[in-house]
């Protein structure tokens, strides 16, 4: 593929934040300036900043000392799809959407950007994909604690979230054991169970409930009853926020109508705790880990991965390989077209080897 003639690039972070975003911003900015002599522009709050023309130069000094910082120095938004942008509400409070791609592209051109590095998940990649026919050029970098981006075996932010959730499970374990309780811990992940599966195994959860394996509450009850009857000190249940019952029931906390992905899960831990307490008569508690899983310093693994992703993104730009997302497959860096990632999800296969291994050591998946 022909080498590009890049001079100025933009960079944005979209969707929910996660640890390691700043490490990618730093790697892209430093490589662009030091290796290539390109100018770099930070676009504030994801695609919202492109629509609203909030774009500022990024110098090397702007990205010094951000490697270890959680969140994103650029800000982010999960409500700014240029093809379907909420511009107000109608009489019944429903959002009125407008196509503002021309506005976004006018700002892209006004800053003479040759391409944008888009750091985000599937929703952010689909926003990028809507601008492809309008002359924009992109390179994607996969972020999310959910680890559910198609074609990448790992995303940055995931390992830090696993560490955080594992530590929480460890702490819950000791108090649950002292009181001989059942504690249900609710983890994030939307419809993907990677975070709950990994943290559940690492934290020694007795029951792991993930969306990909519908659970039968009667099986979970029987498992807990049996454990407690055999004088086990406690039972820890790691439940994914999007875990489904056999009847397909999921617990939805709220709907954000102007968000491209409007459903926000929540409530499974409380519901399961109530049910188990009522049927088993064992005093139980629930813990919702929530946004704690998204915050804080990236672990060493994510700092390295984020730096590698940032560097690889600039290699794609240099090579003129636009509209592709950097991915890791079998430990190696490669890339795939952005359209192959947009609006898709990589879920846990029911026969994933970690599921099989967890079952082999007696972990209950509620089936
Ligand atoms: O996709 C990342 C994620 O943290 C999910 O695990 C979670 O369901 C969702 O975002 C929460 O979104 P918000 O920050 O809008 O509450």
């Amino acid at each position: 593929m022909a080498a590009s003639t890049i001079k100025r690039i933009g960079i944005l972070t979209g969707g929910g934040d996660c640890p390691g975003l700043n490490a990618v911003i730093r790697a892209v900015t430093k490589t662009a300036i030091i290796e290539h002599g390109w100018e770099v522009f930070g676009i504030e709050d994801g695609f919202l900043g492109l629509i609203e023309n909030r774009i500022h130069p990024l110098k090397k000094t702007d990205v010094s000392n951000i490697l270890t910082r959680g969140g994103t120095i650029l800000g982010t938004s999960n409500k700014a799809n240029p093809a379907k942008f909420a511009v107000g509400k109608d009489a019944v409070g429903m959002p009125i959407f407008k196509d503002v791609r021309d506005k976004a592209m006018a700002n892209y051109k006004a800053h003479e950007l040759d391409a944008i590095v888009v750091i985000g998940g599937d929703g952010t990649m689909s926003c990028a994909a809507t601008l492809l026919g309008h002359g924009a050029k992109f390179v994607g970098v996969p972020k999310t604690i959910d680890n559910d981006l198609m074609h990448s075996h790992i995303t940055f932010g995931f390992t830090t979230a696993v560490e955080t959730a594992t530590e929480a499970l460890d702490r819950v374990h000791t108090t649950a054991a002292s009181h001989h309780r059942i504690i249900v811990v609710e983890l994030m992940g939307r419809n993907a169970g990677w975070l709950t599966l990994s943290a559940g195994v690492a934290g020694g959860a007795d029951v792991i409930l993930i969306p990909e394996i519908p659970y039968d509450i009667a099986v979970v009850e029987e498992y807990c009853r049996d454990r407690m009857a055999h004088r086990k000190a406690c039972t820890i249940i790691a439940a994914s926020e999007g875990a489904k019952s056999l009847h397909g029931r999921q617990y939805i906390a709220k709907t954000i109508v102007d968000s491209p992905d409007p459903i926000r899960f929540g409530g499974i831990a409380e519901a399961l705790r109530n049910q188990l307490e009522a049927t088993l008569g064992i005093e139980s508690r629930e813990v919702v880990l929530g946004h704690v899983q998204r915050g804080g310093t990236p672990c060493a693994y994510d700092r390295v991965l984020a730096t590698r992703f940032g560097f690889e993104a600039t290699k794609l730009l240099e090579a003129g390989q636009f509209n592709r997302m950097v991915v890791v497959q079998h430990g190696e860096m490669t890339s795939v077209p952005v359209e192959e990632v947009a609006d898709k999800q990589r879920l846990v296969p029911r026969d994933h080897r970690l599921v099989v291994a967890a079952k082999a050591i007696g972990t209950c998946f509620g089936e």
Side-chain angles (χ1 to χ4, degrees):
M1 203 163 292
S4 69
T5 51
I6 294 279
K7 289 193 181 63
R8 294 156 74 98
I9 61 165
I11 178 163
L12 66 79
T13 52
D17 71 343
C18 77
L21 286 168
N22 286 325
V24 181
I25 295 169
R26 169 182 177 268
V28 170
T29 305
K30 287 198 169 185
T31 310
I33 295 171
I34 297 167
E35 284 254 307
H36 304 288
W38 301 335
E39 282 183 83
V40 183
F41 290 81
I43 301 169
E44 296 166 21
D45 299 333
F47 280 98
L48 191 59
L50 190 64
I51 295 164
E52 295 178 346
N53 199 20
R54 289 188 283 114
I55 300 169
H56 61 265
L58 276 183
K59 305 285 177 212
K60 267 194 298 176
T61 47
D62 296 318
V63 297
S64 279
N65 289 319
I66 64 167
L67 174 65
T68 61
R69 205 190 299 172
T72 160
I73 59 163
L74 294 176
T76 185
S77 165
N78 54 10
K79 295 184 185 175
N81 184 349
K84 201 179 165 203
F85 184 61
V87 289
K89 294 210 167 133
D90 66 14
V92 289
M94 293 307 284
I96 301 164
F97 292 110
K98 202 175 156 197
D99 184 342
V100 295
R101 283 179 284 187
D102 286 351
K103 206 169 168 192
M105 286 313 299
N107 295 328
Y108 180 103
K109 286 176 191 149
H111 284 86
E112 296 174 43
L113 299 179
D114 297 309
I116 298 178
V117 176
V118 173
I119 311 170
D122 56 325
T124 308
M125 295 306 152
S126 56
C127 289
T130 67
L131 291 174
L132 291 184
H134 292 247
K137 293 187 186 123
F138 293 102
V139 164
V141 177
K143 81 71 246 208
T144 169
I145 64 163
D146 303 342
N147 199 30
D148 61 348
L149 272 197
M150 212 61 187
H151 301 298
S152 196
H153 294 169
I154 192 147
T155 54
F156 72 88
F158 171 68
T159 307
T160 305
V162 170
E163 296 283 345
T164 304
T166 301
E167 191 192 336
L169 285 165
D170 291 347
R171 288 172 186 270
V172 162
H173 239 121
T174 58
T175 172
S178 307
H179 291 267
H180 311 294
R181 285 172 171 163
I182 295 172
I183 299 193
V184 188
V185 182
E186 181 173 316
L187 291 91
M188 280 186 165
R190 291 192 199 270
N191 282 303
W194 297 106
L195 177 56
T196 305
L197 175 63
S198 292
V201 169
D206 308 297
V207 180
I208 296 177
L209 304 179
I210 60 174
E212 296 87 341
I213 305 178
Y215 66 88
D216 182 343
I217 189 65
V219 172
V220 177
E221 280 168 12
E222 193 44 42
Y223 182 89
C224 294
R225 190 179 287 118
D226 190 57
R227 272 182 68 80
M228 296 323 226
H230 288 87
R231 308 186 68 78
K232 296 280 186 189
C234 62
T235 298
I236 303 297
I237 302 178
S240 196
E241 60 180 4
K244 279 190 198 86
S245 74
L246 262 190
H247 311 291
R249 164 133 207 219
Q250 286 179 299
Y251 291 88
I252 294 169
K254 58 175 92 160
T255 304
I256 316 269
V257 284
D258 54 352
S259 168
D261 201 347
I263 301 293
R264 294 294 180 278
F265 291 112
I268 190 171
E270 188 186 2
L272 289 183
R273 192 265 302 155
N274 268 328
Q275 167 124 11
L276 294 172
E277 213 165 31
T279 49
L280 302 177
I282 299 167
E283 200 175 340
S284 307
R285 295 286 185 268
E286 81 268 6
V287 175
V288 179
L289 299 186
H291 290 79
V292 167
Q293 295 159 101
R294 290 229 305 251
T297 298
C299 66
Y301 183 90
D302 275 335
R303 294 180 206 181
V304 171
L305 186 60
T307 304
R308 290 185 70 193
F309 273 148
F311 169 73
E312 294 296 333
T314 63
K315 295 302 283 178
L316 287 182
L317 292 174
E318 184 190 17
Q321 294 197 23
F322 301 116
N323 311 329
R324 300 183 71 81
M325 188 181 80
V326 184
V327 294
V328 179
Q329 292 180 349
H330 308 291
E332 298 296 327
M333 290 278 165
T334 178
S335 67
V336 295
V338 164
E339 298 99 311
E340 283 187 23
V341 180
D343 287 326
K344 297 199 176 78
Q345 265 192 318
R346 192 177 66 91
L347 302 177
V348 178
R350 288 181 73 118
D351 60 349
H352 189 277
R353 289 187 79 81
L354 190 53
V355 173
V356 177
K359 283 181 181 168
I361 60 168
T363 311
C364 169
F365 283 79
E367 49 169 6

